[in-house]
Amino acid sequence: MNQINYEIKEHIGIISENKNGWTKELNLVSWNDNDPKYDIREWDPKHEKMSRGITLTEEEAYELSIILSGEFEG
């Protein structure tokens, strides 16, 4: 299996935390030295282990923000 390298370029925020201390986070992450993407996934407290997640380009993240904004307007 190929090793995946990553660098969290910017920690944006924690969405939730489970009872084991893992946190679901939104970060800007560079995967395998590529341009950073918005990334949502769970991380262990030391950011050494992670769950599967989703990455979004800036354009995709913007579109998601519009969708969510419309969903929660009250």
Side-chain angles (χ1 to χ4, degrees):
M1 183 191 316
N2 292 338
Q3 184 172 355
I4 297 172
N5 66 28
Y6 63 92
E7 181 181 355
I8 298 175
K9 297 288 189 174
E10 181 182 350
H11 173 72
I12 298 170
I14 294 174
I15 299 167
S16 63
E17 183 174 346
N18 70 25
K19 62 184 176 182
N20 296 327
W22 283 54
T23 51
K24 187 176 296 176
E25 302 181 11
L26 173 62
N27 295 306
L28 200 55
V29 179
S30 172
W31 295 96
N32 294 324
D33 300 317
N34 290 308
D35 289 337
K37 292 187 177 183
Y38 290 91
D39 183 89
I40 301 171
R41 72 184 65 240
E42 290 184 342
W43 293 87
D44 77 334
K46 294 184 179 181
H47 290 92
E48 295 172 344
K49 296 179 183 176
M50 68 200 83
S51 68
R52 290 187 180 191
I54 182 170
T55 59
L56 303 166
T57 64
E58 186 173 347
E59 294 81 17
E60 292 168 332
Y62 178 75
E63 290 300 322
L64 178 60
S65 75
I66 293 170
I67 293 168
L68 289 173
S69 174
E71 183 68 22
F72 295 110
E73 285 182 353

